[in-house]
Amino acid sequence: MSDLTDLTIAGAREGLRQKDFSAREIAQAHLDAIEAGNAALNAYILPAPEQALAMAQAADERLAKGEARPLEGIPLGIKDLFCTQGLRSTACSRILGNFSPTYESTVSQNLWDAGAVLLGKLNCDEFAMGSSNETSCFGPVINPWRREGSNAPLVPGGSSGGSASAVSARLCLGATATDTGGSIRQPAALTGTVGLKPTYGRCSRWGIVAFASSLDQAGPITRSVRDAAIMLGVMASHDPKDTTSVDAPVPDYEAVLGQGVKGLKVGIPKEYRMEGMPEEIEKLWQQGIAWLTEAGAEIRDVSLPHTKYALPAYYIVAPAEASSNLARYDGVRYGLRVPGGDVTEQYENTRSEGFGPEVKRRVLIGTYVLSAGYYDAYYLKAQKVRTLIKRDFEQVFEDVDVLLTPTTPGPAFAIGEKSGDPIEMYLNDIFTVTANMSGLPGISVPAGLSAEGTPLGLQLIGKAFDEEALFQVGEVIEEAAGTLPQPQDWWSAP
Amino acid sequence: MADATPADLISGATGDWETVIGLEVHAQVVSKSKLFSGAATAFGAEPNSQVSLVDAAMPGMLPVINAECIAQAVRTGLGLKAQINLESVFDRKNYFYPDLPQGYQISQFSRPIVGEGEVVVDLEDGGSVTVGIERLHLEQDAGKSLHDQHPDFSYVDLNRSGVALMEIVSKPDIRSADQAKAYVTKLRSILRYLGTCDGNMEQGSLRADVNVSVRKPRGELGTRCEIKNVNSIRTIGLAVDYEARRQIDIIEDGGAIHQETRLFDPDTGATRAMRSKEEARDYRYFPDPDLLPLVLTQDYVDDLAAHLPELPDRKHARFMADYSLAAYDADVLVADKEAADFFEAVAGGLDAKAAANWVINEVMGRINKEGMAFSDIPVSAEANKAILQMTADGTISGKIAKDVLDIAWKEGGDPRAIVEQRGLEQVSDSGEIEKVVDEIIAANPKQVEQVKGKPKTLGWFVGQVMQATGGKANPKSVNQILRKKLEL
């Protein structure tokens, strides 16, 4: 039954309705794949076979009655940043210990209400802070892809490395992820999967462990553009419990698929042509331009002049918010508590042991940039940069429908290769942070392989709440790229 | 900024000093649920029984503004004749404390919901001063640390965590302890009229941080000290007086005042240092990214303004105009909204002056003596009105009226029934009174002799008659008959 794990969400949906197989069978096939492969990949930190089979059973009953909901019986993995009721939720940080929420995040609840089946909780960088999934307290996630002729373990990207690795390695049909500076799109690019960061406010943040509130947004990682459209249609909702979520109807995202790009205007921002950018990235970009031109799109060179300030400004705003958001992890009410002689010592002991080095670094940066005497020079200035970046996009989107850029400056790197140098690690987000700073939607679509034989992705950035254009154009790139090779299964134990 | 009157000045070794005071009053908003969560706000509940996931700062929880708290803040702003800011921003004030679950308090720093306004404060001497309001902002209350429950640990009660507070900041327009007390009294009265804060200082619904500095009259402003969390009007006065004297003594001894936060100890009557300016926390304020800026429409504000209740100043003017009350009586009644409402319920159709005297002396007198709240009064306004009606139409005497109130107060019952059942009707029948007078004159020849030379001792006879009639005799008739019979 291993072919059940090769299905797309759209394919599984069809097969389940046709009774080609049952929800229980497809859930079991994935549980078997997790059982066989997770030890090597470390994508799941908490498989949930009992819940999976119970939910699959319920889905089969619905399917039998002809009452299937949009995701009935579709097995999914959930990033550990999402709180799941009665199921340990840790954001992959020691400080949350064995925290088991009494509540379910709005996004995951939307999925269960649509009939989806929970396979388990997925690894990620600690509090979603990282670009390689090496900061998780559960250890790094391994990319199912390897360089040609090498067995060296590669990172899957981050922070949604567990989601990307699991989707790529067929340990689920799709996964939830979150993106604060590129945490959906970058790992998608590095694992040959599709990753969509919706417009800020499209998905509720309620019940998702907060990293940087003004930037965080949930989205799907899938194996096709259509699957991303299907998942977003369910994940997105207006939520009165999150006042930054937007009260706008959720369109039928699948409806735009197949429409092509004839007459659409695609902008190519010249500032994304970075000095020292590898030639293969430039080539991939040109390839993307050629595909869209052939498909009838109109290509326009555009300028986003403040792009170069986006990354430094991001690394002020995000840590500032994080330093405040993470203050609640104090050992008083839940999670880890390391006692001390007095309350201050208890804070110090708890937070020293509970947080990993990258989280501590960002809490320190954030505390610094918000402190008296530095606020204006750092936080306030970064907010002004953010306004300028937004304005850049607004002006450009008067003339074009979407922007095409590379997703990352390079392919997957080896475990340990960049973890010693935070700046080099932060540079992974150079093409993705702008969408978070401006609140705009972005998608990464697999577009080819690097010289090392590992995946590369192209990014599309759209107008606010125009995810439809991303699916429409993304599908054209997906088709033009053709069937890309899949990673060889080296991870499954016999 | 106003100057102090000579009476407000404090004399020191080097001459007179002027006290400059500004207050930050924290007023708990009257609302069923908290500022950013649906948890209840009732006082005195079991510890940690009114705590939502948001109040406990569970992972992934988000604040949602409670519209009623916003309306209450706007109403208060309107009551303070203040600027309502149609756009305001909630900020995070970051600090660690176990009773602050989020690790930050959601407050308003640079853009509060209400801007400048004013309060006219009535003084004991009949004058008034206008105290400027700098701003009013909304913020979350913290929980409560309990240090006396266990020898080794502290406990935390989060029932108050997230309850909405209004911080009302005055300008430094106050010049004496008495003015400070009068300001808080007036502010509390306005809040109670508006129904936006119950003003209950014992329960902590209203507390003040008091900023005090001293200067030579009309001189340069001095360095101020802030006295935190003063929780009664009396204590505010004591704290100001102590602190002003402390500062004057230091300066006159050649010392200097250092800006610091102090605490007032009600047991010693003194203030003591809590932390200096150098130790002041860096709260790292920044706009809360979980909350969009709060935007109100002018229509919304206008609608709240149109439905604002009558406030003390206007009621005072109306009582003087419509009921012809003296300013003092109007002051006393208006100071407490419940007293004012009670008075109006009693006074209709009666002599207003008599009704005011009755409410102030008899009703409020008893309430104050027993230390009860107006809402707990055992004799209703209607019952009081009945007593006054019986007095007005001569059914009972003024003295009996007080007795009837006493009986109704202690034992309950309808005043008219009490009068009827106990036969307390006033006796005006001269035949009956004459009979009693004759008996008394006959029984007291000595006193009869005496009164001829000393007519002032007539009062003794009046007393005897009243005693004999159980107080029911009409005093006027008694006097007339006595004078006639005694030939005075």
Side-chain angles (χ1 to χ4, degrees):
Chain A
M1 281 266 185
S2 73
D3 57 335
L4 288 184
T5 62
D6 275 333
L7 292 165
T8 59
I9 291 173
R13 181 178 61 182
E14 185 63 17
L16 285 164
R17 287 185 192 183
Q18 301 295 328
K19 312 270 193 307
D20 294 342
F21 41 81
S22 69
R24 201 182 160 84
E25 284 169 325
I26 195 166
Q28 190 61 57
H30 282 94
L31 293 173
D32 293 345
I34 294 167
E35 176 78 27
N38 196 53
L41 295 173
N42 198 28
Y44 282 88
I45 53 166
L46 185 65
E50 281 173 30
Q51 279 98 327
L53 293 175
M55 290 169 96
Q57 174 93 38
D60 279 331
E61 284 161 21
R62 282 245 184 190
L63 285 157
K65 285 190 268 183
E67 291 171 1
R69 296 163 292 180
L71 289 175
E72 201 70 61
I74 303 295
L76 303 175
I78 301 294
K79 185 179 183 179
D80 204 36
L81 221 60
F82 294 79
C83 287
T84 42
Q85 192 174 350
L87 200 60
R88 189 190 67 191
S89 304
T90 69
C92 293
S93 177
R94 255 190 299 278
I95 207 152
L96 272 152
N98 284 315
F99 175 65
S100 177
T102 58
Y103 48 92
E104 184 78 29
S105 84
T106 299
V107 164
S108 52
Q109 188 62 52
N110 286 346
L111 292 168
W112 316 142
D113 289 346
V117 169
L118 164 74
L119 289 170
K121 300 299 289 286
L122 292 162
N123 207 340
C124 60
D125 278 302
E126 183 180 6
F127 284 107
M129 296 178 189
S131 304
S132 64
N133 217 124
E134 291 171 285
T135 71
S136 166
C137 75
F138 296 100
V141 176
I142 309 301
N143 195 329
W145 288 85
R146 288 171 166 176
R147 289 173 181 147
E148 259 170 43
S150 165
N151 286 342
L154 301 180
V155 303
S159 66
S160 310
S163 304
S165 177
V167 171
S168 177
R170 272 79 180 145
L171 303 189
C172 56
L173 290 185
T176 66
T178 62
D179 190 318
T180 305
S183 282
I184 291 176
R185 291 158 290 158
Q186 185 254 13
L190 268 46
T191 57
T193 53
V194 175
L196 173 86
K197 180 201 90 78
T199 312
Y200 184 80
R202 183 69 287 185
C203 291
S204 168
R205 294 183 295 112
W206 193 87
I208 301 173
V209 174
F211 163 13
S213 310
S214 74
L215 302 159
D216 294 345
Q217 187 60 201
I221 292 181
T222 58
R223 289 197 293 268
S224 76
V225 172
R226 178 177 293 274
D227 285 2
I230 292 170
M231 272 189 76
L232 180 65
V234 173
M235 292 168 74
S237 66
H238 170 241
D239 184 0
K241 290 184 290 190
D242 172 6
T243 52
T244 63
S245 90
V246 171
D247 190 3
V250 179
D252 175 5
Y253 292 117
E254 279 189 272
V256 297
L257 297 174
Q259 287 185 3
V261 293
K262 200 154 278 184
L264 275 186
K265 297 191 202 80
V266 178
I268 310 299
K270 65 175 184 201
E271 289 79 9
Y272 283 60
R273 191 161 285 115
M274 300 278 176
E275 205 179 311
M277 187 160 85
E279 207 190 309
E280 64 184 6
I281 300 294
E282 173 66 33
K283 260 177 71 183
L284 183 82
W285 197 4
Q286 292 307 323
Q287 181 64 68
I289 293 169
W291 286 332
L292 294 178
T293 308
E294 279 163 35
E298 191 184 317
I299 305 296
R300 292 209 180 162
D301 288 325
V302 297
S303 173
L304 299 164
H306 298 94
T307 300
K308 66 178 168 202
Y309 303 115
L311 193 72
Y314 170 83
Y315 274 97
I316 289 168
V317 173
E321 294 183 11
S323 70
S324 177
N325 281 337
L326 269 54
R328 65 186 56 200
Y329 307 105
D330 57 5
V332 173
R333 297 169 314 286
Y334 49 78
L336 180 74
R337 175 190 293 174
V338 184
D342 60 18
V343 70
T344 305
E345 220 176 282
Q346 179 177 304
Y347 288 151
E348 289 169 356
N349 293 348
T350 301
R351 291 167 67 85
S352 295
E353 281 192 33
F355 290 142
E358 183 58 30
V359 171
K360 284 178 191 160
R361 181 177 2 259
R362 297 200 198 191
V363 168
L364 283 173
I365 292 171
T367 304
Y368 179 82
V369 299
L370 287 176
S371 55
Y374 299 99
Y375 180 88
D376 290 359
Y378 290 103
Y379 184 79
L380 206 60
K381 190 159 267 180
Q383 289 293 13
K384 286 177 184 162
V385 167
R386 201 170 171 181
T387 305
L388 293 173
I389 290 167
K390 267 186 203 164
R391 201 170 299 159
D392 279 358
F393 279 111
E394 278 162 16
Q395 280 168 1
V396 161
F397 279 124
E398 284 175 13
D399 298 325
V400 300
D401 298 297
V402 293
L403 297 167
L404 176 72
T405 79
T407 309
T408 59
F413 42 93
I415 299 272
E417 191 179 324
K418 295 188 181 180
S419 52
D421 182 350
I423 304 285
E424 205 188 334
M425 189 66 88
Y426 295 170
L427 283 169
N428 268 286
D429 302 331
I430 190 119
F431 299 137
T432 48
V433 289
T434 53
N436 302 84
M437 293 291 269
S438 56
L440 299 175
I443 194 170
S444 178
V445 180
L449 296 183
S450 69
E452 296 166 339
T454 51
L456 291 171
L458 282 172
Q459 174 181 237
L460 295 162
I461 299 171
K463 298 174 188 173
F465 297 99
D466 192 10
E467 283 81 2
E468 288 159 294
L470 301 186
F471 295 129
Q472 195 180 343
V473 182
E475 190 194 31
V476 169
I477 293 175
E478 184 178 52
E479 281 173 5
T483 309
L484 293 167
Q486 294 306 321
Q488 294 290 325
D489 183 354
W490 53 265
W491 54 87
S492 294
Chain B
M1 203 186 288
D3 292 325
T5 63
D8 295 329
L9 298 177
I10 300 175
S11 55
T14 60
D16 286 344
W17 291 85
E18 186 181 35
T19 316
V20 176
I21 303 155
L23 285 109
E24 295 165 21
V25 170
H26 299 261
Q28 181 179 329
V29 174
V30 172
S31 66
K32 286 197 182 67
S33 53
K34 296 182 180 179
L35 182 52
F36 297 111
S37 85
T41 57
F43 177 79
E46 278 290 297
N48 294 314
S49 63
Q50 296 177 162
V51 185
S52 75
L53 296 168
V54 175
D55 308 325
M58 301 306 278
M61 292 300 100
L62 299 171
V64 177
I65 295 177
N66 175 349
E68 179 55 19
C69 294
I70 301 299
Q72 292 288 55
V74 172
R75 285 186 191 109
T76 307
L78 292 167
L80 301 175
K81 301 181 201 115
Q83 166 74 33
I84 306 299
N85 294 325
L86 295 181
E87 188 170 331
S88 64
V89 171
F90 285 98
D91 298 287
R92 291 186 184 177
K93 178 181 180 179
N94 295 282
Y95 66 95
F96 282 93
Y97 205 68
D99 61 20
L100 187 75
Q102 294 166 139
Y104 54 83
Q105 175 196 36
I106 305 178
S107 180
Q108 295 189 301
F109 184 53
S110 53
R111 301 181 67 190
I113 186 165
V114 175
E116 293 188 335
E118 63 177 45
V119 175
V120 178
V121 177
D122 314 303
L123 303 175
E124 291 266 320
D125 64 9
S128 69
V129 289
T130 300
V131 174
I133 298 295
E134 180 71 39
R135 57 184 281 166
L136 175 156
H137 69 253
L138 279 166
E139 62 185 26
Q140 297 175 299
D141 203 351
K144 197 171 145 196
S145 295
L146 309 167
H147 300 297
D148 54 358
Q149 308 284 307
H150 190 281
D152 302 325
F153 296 101
S154 292
Y155 288 95
V156 178
D157 175 8
L158 295 180
N159 280 353
R160 289 187 73 96
S161 167
V163 165
L165 301 179
M166 297 179 283
E167 179 170 327
I168 303 165
V169 183
S170 86
K171 297 191 184 235
D173 288 352
I174 300 164
R175 291 289 171 274
S176 68
D178 283 343
Q179 284 187 14
K181 287 158 67 180
Y183 165 74
V184 176
T185 304
K186 183 62 175 283
L187 182 61
R188 182 174 65 169
S189 170
I190 293 172
L191 296 173
R192 284 176 166 168
Y193 268 78
L194 290 164
T196 58
C197 170
D198 67 22
N200 194 327
M201 297 184 87
E202 296 77 47
Q203 295 178 1
S205 303
L206 195 79
R207 46 195 199 265
D209 299 340
V210 187
N211 286 288
V212 179
S213 65
V214 295
R215 65 172 175 182
K216 288 290 182 177
R218 284 177 300 282
E220 290 283 301
L221 276 178
T223 302
R224 68 190 162 87
C225 291
E226 182 182 20
I227 310 159
K228 278 278 186 202
N229 260 329
V230 189
N231 59 6
S232 82
I233 288 176
R234 195 180 136 264
T235 323
I236 289 171
L238 296 174
V240 167
D241 279 339
Y242 177 88
E243 181 61 19
R245 176 52 69 184
R246 186 188 74 87
Q247 293 184 16
I248 291 166
D249 289 349
I250 289 174
I251 298 168
E252 291 191 331
D253 285 350
I257 304 301
H258 302 289
Q259 193 175 330
E260 62 186 2
T261 304
R262 300 179 68 83
L263 282 176
F264 181 75
D265 183 343
D267 295 332
T268 62
T271 65
R272 58 183 159 83
M274 191 174 146
R275 57 173 179 260
S276 70
K277 192 188 176 191
E278 289 70 35
E279 296 168 288
R281 290 160 161 164
D282 181 353
Y283 290 117
R284 291 172 283 120
Y285 282 99
F286 76 108
D288 190 332
D290 286 331
L291 294 161
L292 302 170
L294 175 65
V295 179
L296 309 174
T297 63
Q298 190 60 50
D299 282 352
Y300 169 84
V301 176
D302 291 346
D303 187 56
L304 289 175
H307 294 94
L308 224 53
E310 183 183 45
L311 292 176
D313 289 347
R314 178 162 296 181
K315 197 181 286 284
H316 190 272
R318 184 168 61 82
F319 277 15
M320 288 181 69
D322 292 4
Y323 295 108
S324 306
L325 294 190
Y328 175 80
D329 288 351
D331 278 350
V332 174
L333 291 170
V334 165
D336 183 342
K337 179 169 186 294
E338 287 185 286
D341 291 346
F342 194 89
F343 162 73
E344 291 210 83
V346 170
L350 291 173
D351 173 40
K353 177 68 193 160
N357 283 339
W358 178 262
V359 171
I360 292 170
N361 297 323
E362 301 308 323
V363 178
M364 295 176 75
R366 280 173 175 77
I367 281 179
N368 292 338
K369 200 172 126 200
E370 298 188 21
M372 61 166 57
F374 236 106
S375 49
D376 298 329
I377 190 168
V379 184
S380 70
E382 293 68 39
N384 276 280
K385 190 182 182 76
I387 295 173
L388 286 177
Q389 276 166 339
M390 287 190 283
T391 317
D393 66 18
T395 308
I396 55 172
S397 69
K399 159 138 195 347
I400 290 294
K402 294 174 191 178
D403 294 344
V404 172
L405 180 59
D406 272 335
I407 293 164
W409 198 280
K410 288 187 192 111
E411 300 166 28
D414 168 52
R416 288 188 192 279
I418 291 169
V419 168
E420 201 173 314
Q421 282 157 12
R422 305 196 184 206
L424 298 176
E425 291 92 344
Q426 185 161 251
V427 179
S428 302
D429 180 336
S430 54
E432 235 178 280
I433 297 173
E434 272 179 44
K435 202 175 140 219
V436 177
V437 167
D438 287 343
E439 283 169 19
I440 289 170
I441 289 174
N444 299 285
K446 234 178 171 177
Q447 277 78 4
V448 172
E449 197 66 31
Q450 199 182 5
V451 78
K452 306 267 183 199
K454 260 189 180 175
K456 273 186 184 168
T457 56
L458 181 69
W460 183 85
F461 286 92
V462 176
Q464 290 299 305
V465 177
M466 295 310 279
Q467 201 178 350
T469 58
K472 294 183 290 182
N474 183 330
K476 217 167 156 191
S477 309
V478 173
N479 255 294
Q480 279 173 355
I481 292 166
L482 274 170
R483 284 180 184 279
K484 196 177 81 190
K485 300 262 181 190
L486 292 168
E487 295 164 5
L488 292 175

